[in-house]
Amino acid sequence: MKQFATFVKKEFFHVLRDRRTLLILIGMPIAQILIFGFALTNEVKNARIAVIDQAKDRDSQHLINRIAASSYFEIQEDVLDRDRMETAFRAGGIKLALIFPANFGNDLAHQNHAQVQVIADASDPNSATTLTNYVSSIIRDYQMELNEQVALPHQITPQIRMLYNPQLKGAPNFVPGVIALVLMLVSVMMTAISIVREKETGTMEVLLVSPFKPVWVILSKAVPYLLLSLVNVLSIVLMSVFVLQIPVEGSWLLLFAESALFIVTCLTLGIFISIKTKTQQVAMLVSLMGMLLPTVMFSGFMFPIENMPVFLQWISNIVPAKWFYSIVKSIMIKGVGMEGVWKETLILCGITVFLFVVSLKSFKIRLE
């Protein structure tokens, strides 16, 4: 362990002496959290919603059928009461819920006025606003048709409620995405370049023929970036709390534990890239193009995955950032515990183990 600590110390010195590396490690998270802390708009389709029909009358069924026929919504049949609705919101199973009161049809017929409660998950404020607008538009169309058939105008008023982000700020949606993006780029790119640099200068061969085990040499290079990435997570979260006014609703310990798991995944991926590449330029190109685009496109950070073709949705399942983004948003914005993110955690663990095994086999083949 003394030799291992010596190698880790050496890698820290390498990082601290390189000003460009320090700029990427420290400057990029700060710049991105400030740039992406504001809103972007995206179209939403095939959003999972819940309908709780306490009226079960003709008017409520007509509205439900119209909503179900729309391409914007996908009604979840298993959410039938308020308790299940709350659970589905916390688990990310639905984006919006409609509640028809028991006297909906009666009020509409006799008082010419009825209300529908619309509850949206505003942890993604753009999607929440878009979905509530879609629902309001469908209700208005149905209301206009009713008014053509009766002498007195009917009025249906949606009561809209935004969960988790009632002020519809853009930052709560982008902070988890920035964390995933920064950790993916920094951890993968820095690890890949640092190992390839040793191979280019010829010092890696010297280290591998030393009495120290080759695997520990590789791991010693990953430890500094693990610690520095955790510092990045802390800086982003602190800036989110004190600059963007986004409190961490869930457990800080769970948030950092999940972040450490994702960092290990990224470091393993960086080691795999470094084993397969021969120059720093190739390693940087693969890290940037191979990691940046999938993280932005398939994590749900900027583009809703529900909008994509089924084939691309399948591809998104192998992108680690997708699962980490869901975990961070659930912990930070919704305040869920391990019971709400255990599935994503298991998937992320599986991806990490797979990458580690593949990297280890590739490394042994290169040594032979």
Side-chain angles (χ1 to χ4, degrees):
M1 289 302 297
K2 185 177 180 180
Q3 289 178 317
F4 180 70
T6 302
F7 275 105
V8 172
K9 184 178 179 181
K10 177 184 75 69
E11 290 304 317
F12 267 114
F13 286 148
H14 277 306
V15 173
L16 296 177
R17 282 200 300 263
D18 191 341
R19 294 184 179 180
R20 291 174 298 179
T21 301
L22 284 177
L23 180 63
I24 294 175
L25 288 172
I26 299 175
M28 185 169 66
I30 295 175
Q32 289 193 339
I33 193 64
L34 294 177
I35 291 173
F36 288 105
F38 302 96
L40 291 175
T41 57
N42 297 291
E43 184 184 8
V44 178
K45 292 183 179 179
N46 302 318
R48 296 185 299 271
I49 69 170
V51 176
I52 301 176
D53 186 7
Q54 298 173 344
K56 298 186 184 302
D57 53 36
R58 179 178 60 86
D59 293 299
S60 65
Q61 287 300 316
H62 282 175
L63 265 177
I64 293 172
N65 292 337
R66 286 172 177 255
I67 293 171
S70 170
S71 63
Y72 300 122
F73 303 111
E74 179 182 329
I75 297 179
Q76 301 297 297
E77 302 293 343
D78 57 340
V79 183
L80 302 175
D81 54 50
R82 288 179 177 268
D83 292 336
R84 291 185 181 179
M85 178 196 71
E86 180 67 24
T87 302
F89 267 123
R90 292 175 65 86
I94 58 175
K95 298 288 187 180
L96 182 139
L98 279 79
I99 302 178
F100 291 89
N103 55 348
F104 176 79
N106 184 65
D107 289 346
L108 194 60
H110 296 89
Q111 302 179 18
N112 298 325
H113 180 272
Q115 293 182 337
V116 178
Q117 188 174 23
V118 181
I119 303 176
D121 179 356
S123 61
D124 185 343
N126 300 309
S127 296
T129 303
T130 302
L131 291 175
T132 54
N133 288 337
Y134 290 162
V135 169
S136 299
S137 178
I138 293 174
I139 293 176
R140 282 195 299 269
D141 290 342
Y142 181 67
Q143 178 179 306
M144 291 177 63
E145 289 187 11
L146 288 179
N147 291 338
E148 293 176 356
Q149 303 171 10
V150 296
L152 295 176
H154 288 315
Q155 183 179 3
I156 303 174
T157 305
Q159 291 184 328
I160 299 174
R161 176 187 170 197
M162 299 292 184
L163 294 180
Y164 312 119
N165 183 18
Q167 286 137 2
L168 297 179
K169 294 181 178 179
N173 180 45
F174 289 100
V175 168
V178 169
I179 295 176
L181 186 62
V182 167
L183 294 183
M184 176 64 76
L185 291 179
V186 169
S187 301
V188 174
M189 185 170 61
M190 292 295 99
T191 306
I193 292 176
S194 67
I195 296 177
V196 172
R197 184 172 58 239
E198 298 278 6
K199 291 161 62 176
E200 281 187 328
T201 57
T203 54
M204 179 59 75
E205 286 73 12
V206 176
L207 294 174
L208 293 177
V209 298
S210 65
F212 199 56
K213 291 184 179 180
V215 175
W216 291 109
V217 174
I218 301 298
L219 292 178
S220 66
K221 289 188 166 293
V223 170
Y225 297 107
L226 171 62
L227 300 179
L228 290 171
S229 296
L230 287 174
V231 172
N232 279 335
V233 173
L234 179 62
S235 66
I236 292 175
V237 173
L238 290 178
M239 288 184 65
S240 302
V241 173
F242 295 105
V243 178
L244 300 177
Q245 305 298 317
I246 305 172
V248 178
E249 300 293 344
S251 168
W252 284 68
L253 180 60
L254 179 60
L255 177 62
F256 277 90
E258 297 287 356
S259 299
L261 172 61
F262 181 67
I263 292 169
V264 172
T265 305
C266 297
L267 293 175
T268 308
L269 191 55
I271 291 173
F272 177 75
I273 293 173
S274 68
I275 293 172
K276 294 297 185 180
T277 55
K278 296 182 179 180
T279 64
Q280 295 184 58
Q281 289 79 7
V282 175
M284 181 175 294
L285 181 63
V286 173
S287 300
L288 285 175
M289 300 302 295
M291 299 299 106
L292 177 62
L293 291 179
T295 300
V296 171
M297 294 178 62
F298 296 118
S299 64
F301 165 36
M302 299 188 70
F303 306 104
I305 296 176
E306 294 87 352
N307 291 4
M308 302 178 184
V310 177
F311 175 70
L312 293 181
Q313 293 184 34
W314 291 344
I315 293 179
S316 69
N317 291 329
I318 65 175
V319 178
K322 170 189 175 180
W323 306 107
F324 180 68
Y325 172 69
S326 176
I327 290 172
V328 175
K329 190 162 70 169
S330 297
I331 296 174
M332 285 190 65
I333 310 304
K334 299 182 180 180
V336 304
M338 191 63 189
E339 71 283 355
V341 297
W342 67 270
K343 292 182 181 179
E344 291 86 350
T345 302
L346 285 180
I347 293 173
L348 204 55
C349 287
I351 295 174
T352 305
V353 172
F354 174 77
L355 288 173
F356 180 78
V357 172
V358 172
S359 299
L360 190 59
K361 289 184 178 180
S362 300
F363 184 62
K364 289 181 179 179
I365 293 174
R366 290 294 296 268
L367 289 180
E368 295 173 356

